[in-house]
Amino acid sequence: MPPPAFILTTGQAADSPQFIPVLEKVGVRGLVGRPRTRPDAVAGDKAYSSRGNRAHLHKRRIQAVVPEKKD
């Protein structure tokens, strides 16, 4: 199964800054109608646990299933 969305970056680009642009490309298919642009939840690893990413998810009422960094 292909990923729901992706962005190809150059070289050593960090993953976290790409979180919101990729999330904006995701379409969640249902049984009928157009794909939804807001998933119920998003899972990720600690690399995506920034304040900005969490604030964006909170603002869009998307549950974050991302462990928080300890540092």
Side-chain angles (χ1 to χ4, degrees):
M1 173 182 247
F6 72 94
I7 293 178
L8 188 61
T9 62
T10 60
Q12 299 295 321
D15 292 341
S16 188
Q18 306 310 318
F19 180 80
I20 294 172
V22 169
L23 187 61
E24 290 173 351
K25 293 179 116 188
V26 170
V28 181
R29 294 196 179 274
L31 296 176
V32 294
R34 295 184 313 182
R36 294 183 298 129
T37 59
R38 186 178 65 83
D40 295 328
V42 173
D45 63 14
K46 289 181 185 178
Y48 301 100
S49 186
S50 72
R51 284 188 188 128
N53 289 344
R54 286 187 177 278
H56 181 76
L57 293 174
H58 180 74
K59 181 174 67 173
R60 293 194 60 207
R61 297 185 326 259
I62 300 171
Q63 180 183 1
V65 185
V66 180
E68 293 193 39
K69 293 182 181 181
K70 303 239 188 234
D71 54 349

